[in-house]
Amino acid sequence: MDARDSMNRIQSTTSPHRRFNPLIREWVLVAPDRTQRPWEGQLENISSPAQVTFDPACYLCPGNVRAGGEKNPPYTGTFVFDNDFAALKPETQAWEVEEKGLLIARSEAGRCRVVCFSPRHDLTIARMAVVELRRVVDTWCDEFSELGSEPRIRSVQIFENRGAMMGCSNPHPHGQIWANEFLPNELAKELRSLGEYQQRHASTLLADYLELELEQKERLVLTNDHFVLLVPFWAVWPFETLLISRRAVTAMDKLTDEERTGLAEILRQTTIRYDNLFQTSFPYTMGFHQRPTDGDAHVEFHLHAHFYPPLLRSATVRKFMVGYEMLAMPQRDITPEAAAKLLRGVSDTHYLDQSKA
Ligand code: H2U
Ligand code: ZN
């Protein structure tokens, strides 16, 4: 069978198979028929979007007092502060324990930041204007550079938990940044794969992968001049997507002015598609993977973001990673190609704005 035939086979198959994730070198089991199974489990209660533009009880709204006693300024754009309940602290002293190679521990110093995307309590990325999202991108870029330039910081993890289902504590639009000394597991896995790929092929793994996806078009969701959103061939979560910069930049600090705006635009479109899919404020965890800030150039690295939404067949049925998935390997129910088609098929106007259009 030639490459084209085998690709056609995998894209139309309904038989169980495995797919390989070359970024982290792990397999995922794809069992396309399983969505037929009956569901008598828990039905999720999706938190409806906040209705008020200002909530006096919200610890992120402008002018309000936070749990730690500090008062937020009357901010009008983005607002960043040190997490009052930071998991990582800059003053942590260095220590190391190792006993017979079995009991191994190390101190971990770092900083945790909270980024408010907007003073408006009722907005989400999907409902913010591109100029406002551009300010969020600029804020992330500044934070990446500032935190990354601290001598002990080697990793700057920017992420957003959206929706109570994903453990988000507050509907006010915000994300977090955790910056620390040692490379977190996911970044370390990616760095190894990207590094070995770069050595062998003199290009980035994601640049070559993107080329394949742009050719095949099966898993594309959105494209603009600077970014591409797709359901990766090896996606684990039902509507997982991967956002890749067209130019192989190592991190946000290398983006041009137009690329930053391109990122703001595609973030808005991505979240609009998600919300429109099940006509709800779609929960997810998203975050960027960027080059380690250890001072090396890391030409092997290629800026990208992962979106991991837990919803499966409707707004009330979610995916759980249990049983076989915890003990053996992750498994998905619908094919990545089917998920991409569904996401491509929804409107590019947010459902809450459609009556106005
Ligand atoms: P999540 O909604 O993703 O959990 O992020 C909110 C973060 O805000 C959380 O990490 C912090 C929590 O520690 N926080 C403060 O820093 N100050 C507060 O007054 C409440 C919450
Ligand atoms: Zn608020």
Side-chain angles (χ1 to χ4, degrees), residues 59 66-68 81-85 114 159 161 167-170 174 176:
Y59 57 80
R66 299 202 302 272
F81 60 92
D82 277 325
N83 196 312
D84 300 307
F85 307 93
V114 179
F159 65 99
N161 293 322
C168 181
S169 57
N170 184 333
H174 71 281
Q176 297 193 47

Side-chain angles (χ1 to χ4, degrees), residues 211-229:
E211 208 179 296
L212 271 175
E213 290 292 12
L214 287 168
E215 238 169 66
Q216 296 192 0
K217 300 189 172 67
E218 289 277 337
R219 286 166 293 275
L220 296 183
V221 179
L222 293 166
T223 61
N224 68 21
D225 287 348
H226 308 292
F227 285 86
V228 175
L229 181 82

Side-chain angles (χ1 to χ4, degrees), residues 205-317:
L205 185 157
L206 284 179
D208 289 356
Y209 173 62
L210 189 55
E211 208 179 296
L212 271 175
E213 290 292 12
L214 287 168
E215 238 169 66
Q216 296 192 0
K217 300 189 172 67
E218 289 277 337
R219 286 166 293 275
L220 296 183
V221 179
L222 293 166
T223 61
N224 68 21
D225 287 348
H226 308 292
F227 285 86
V228 175
L229 181 82
L230 50 86
V231 179
F233 182 72
W234 51 81
V236 167
W237 294 92
F239 294 97
E240 174 178 337
T241 54
L242 181 62
L243 179 60
I244 310 174
S245 63
R246 285 197 190 248
R247 202 163 61 85
V249 293
T250 57
M252 282 181 186
D253 59 341
K254 307 285 185 200
L255 292 177
T256 63
D257 188 59
E258 292 85 51
E259 285 169 334
R260 286 186 186 201
T261 303
L263 177 55
E265 279 165 357
I266 207 157
L267 284 171
R268 182 178 136 81
Q269 268 305 316
T270 301
T271 50
I272 286 178
R273 300 279 170 146
Y274 273 148
D275 282 9
N276 283 350
L277 186 63
F278 295 145
Q279 306 275 300
T280 190
S281 189
F282 209 72
Y284 59 77
T285 275
M286 73 81 69
F288 292 90
H289 280 146
Q290 311 194 67
R291 75 166 186 280
T293 53
D294 53 9
D296 291 346
H298 286 293
V299 291
E300 76 277 27
F301 215 87
H302 191 146
L303 170 68
H304 61 281
H306 300 272
F307 279 83
Y308 299 125
L311 290 183
L312 179 52
R313 280 176 281 168
S314 68
T316 52
V317 178

Side-chain angles (χ1 to χ4, degrees), residues 70-267:
E70 280 210 53
K71 193 180 160 118
N72 297 327
Y75 66 97
T76 55
T78 60
F79 167 54
V80 191
F81 60 92
D82 277 325
N83 196 312
D84 300 307
F85 307 93
L88 301 156
K89 298 178 170 70
E91 65 276 10
T92 302
Q93 295 295 316
W95 55 263
E96 208 173 325
V97 163
E98 177 158 355
E99 225 179 297
K100 298 187 172 159
L102 292 172
L103 305 178
I104 304 168
R106 284 177 182 172
S107 58
E108 186 70 47
R111 282 179 72 187
C112 293
R113 309 270 284 159
V114 179
V115 184
C116 297
F117 299 159
S118 161
R120 283 268 303 266
H121 185 80
D122 59 326
L123 294 183
T124 60
I125 291 182
R127 307 203 67 216
M128 284 171 67
V130 172
V131 281
E132 295 168 325
L133 290 170
R134 169 60 201 261
R135 281 204 291 263
V136 175
V137 170
D138 289 343
T139 304
W140 284 334
C141 291
D142 293 346
E143 288 292 316
F144 177 82
S145 299
E146 265 178 59
L147 291 165
S149 67
E150 289 185 20
R152 286 175 80 182
I153 300 295
R154 291 197 191 87
S155 155
V156 180
Q157 182 58 61
I158 297 174
F159 65 99
E160 180 196 10
N161 293 322
R162 175 86 220 147
M165 196 186 282
M166 293 311 285
C168 181
S169 57
N170 184 333
H172 194 112
H174 71 281
Q176 297 193 47
I177 305 175
W178 291 28
N180 62 310
E181 279 189 277
F182 291 95
L183 295 193
N185 299 346
E186 294 305 305
L187 188 62
K189 283 190 256 178
E190 286 193 352
L191 190 68
R192 237 188 97 203
S193 314
L194 291 166
E196 285 177 24
Y197 192 95
Q198 172 79 32
Q199 283 206 325
R200 235 177 294 136
H201 303 270
S203 58
T204 79
L205 185 157
L206 284 179
D208 289 356
Y209 173 62
L210 189 55
E211 208 179 296
L212 271 175
E213 290 292 12
L214 287 168
E215 238 169 66
Q216 296 192 0
K217 300 189 172 67
E218 289 277 337
R219 286 166 293 275
L220 296 183
V221 179
L222 293 166
T223 61
N224 68 21
D225 287 348
H226 308 292
F227 285 86
V228 175
L229 181 82
L230 50 86
V231 179
F233 182 72
W234 51 81
V236 167
W237 294 92
F239 294 97
E240 174 178 337
T241 54
L242 181 62
L243 179 60
I244 310 174
S245 63
R246 285 197 190 248
R247 202 163 61 85
V249 293
T250 57
M252 282 181 186
D253 59 341
K254 307 285 185 200
L255 292 177
T256 63
D257 188 59
E258 292 85 51
E259 285 169 334
R260 286 186 186 201
T261 303
L263 177 55
E265 279 165 357
I266 207 157
L267 284 171

